[in-house]
Amino acid sequence: MSTGGTTRPTLLLVHGAWHGSWCWERVTPVLDADGWTTRTVDLPSAGSPAGVRDDARAVLDALAGIDGPVVVVAHSYGGVPATQAVAEAAGVSHIVYLAAYQLDVGESLLGHHGAPAPADPGGFQAVPDHPVPLFYADAPAADAEAAAGRLVPQSTRSFGETLTAAGWHTVPSTYVVCEQDRALPPADQEQLATRSGSVHRIASGHSPFLSMPGELAGLLAKIASGTAGRAAPRT
């Protein structure tokens, strides 16, 4: 599939903590119907004691199986291993951080929030209490409850390990702020977004792939095709 005489990139969708590739099930059909090629990856830290390096390797393995340019779309924690992996990969044309951790070398998810490294990195972070209002507050109730039932414990290592490379220094990036997010506060996202070359905002909670999959797919398509422009900064 090509647009304007150029080959359309493949979109590689990277999920966040406690989730799996299943979280993109409402978005991929919309993109596919519009002629986009999508791929997903399951991060091993969701449900096993894997860390950032293991997750980055999973992203790299997924990238190795894709021909042509790739736009990596990372959600929440997924931004951490995606950032590490893109620094080591060839063929990535753009990174999209969707309410995601756009960290730098030497930073970790816990460190970003001012928390110490975990004393027991071999353990797990349980699924948060009341995940529906935290992650899916604006999604249809039945869909939110179904998604919450699929969450699994998250590796503690993944939250404490630091990055050794940051792909956004060399690969163009876009940040998508979710303005009604209750998991990663919008003000925090705005601060992280200063590291991206462009910023867009959508009126959603933490999981627009569930609450507004059509709108999210449309925005991702515009970003991937280079037609989204640059949103005006907050004043």
Side-chain angles (χ1 to χ4, degrees):
M1 177 65 67
S2 63
T3 303
T6 60
T7 301
R8 275 187 171 185
T10 297
L11 276 67
L12 177 63
L13 310 176
V14 184
H15 66 82
W18 299 290
H19 288 69
S21 59
W22 54 264
C23 73
W24 303 105
E25 289 173 352
R26 298 295 181 88
V27 175
T28 53
V30 183
L31 289 166
D32 294 345
D34 192 34
W36 293 89
T37 300
T38 58
R39 297 287 186 272
T40 59
V41 59
D42 281 303
L43 301 179
S45 63
S48 83
V52 171
R53 306 292 179 276
D54 305 296
D55 288 344
R57 174 52 54 189
V59 175
L60 282 168
D61 288 346
L63 289 169
I66 301 173
D67 294 325
V70 183
V71 171
V72 175
V73 180
H75 178 246
S76 197
Y77 160 77
V80 183
T83 294
Q84 180 78 35
V86 168
E88 305 173 28
V92 177
S93 60
H94 206 94
I95 316 170
V96 180
Y97 291 92
L98 175 63
Y101 289 88
Q102 187 169 356
L103 303 183
D104 207 346
V105 175
E107 296 179 347
S108 69
L109 186 149
L110 289 176
H112 173 77
H113 292 290
D120 178 17
F124 285 90
Q125 299 296 307
V127 175
D129 294 334
H130 313 297
V132 168
L134 184 67
F135 296 140
Y136 318 118
D138 56 335
D143 294 340
E145 291 291 347
R150 300 174 77 173
L151 300 176
V152 297
Q154 178 74 20
S155 160
T156 300
R157 279 181 60 201
S158 65
F159 287 171
E161 287 186 345
T162 60
L163 291 179
T164 60
W168 55 266
H169 283 293
T170 54
V171 175
S173 62
T174 295
Y175 202 101
V176 179
V177 175
C178 294
E179 296 183 307
Q180 299 172 12
D181 200 328
R182 298 182 182 179
L184 183 59
D188 202 1
Q189 294 181 49
E190 294 284 357
Q191 184 270 323
L192 289 164
T194 62
R195 293 172 166 176
S196 274
S198 60
V199 183
H200 295 273
R201 300 170 183 85
I202 52 178
S204 79
H206 191 61
S207 305
F209 46 76
L210 194 65
S211 62
M212 49 179 64
E215 182 173 340
L216 176 61
L219 177 57
L220 294 179
K222 289 179 180 179
I223 294 170
S225 63
T227 62
R230 182 186 176 97
R234 278 280 184 256
T235 57

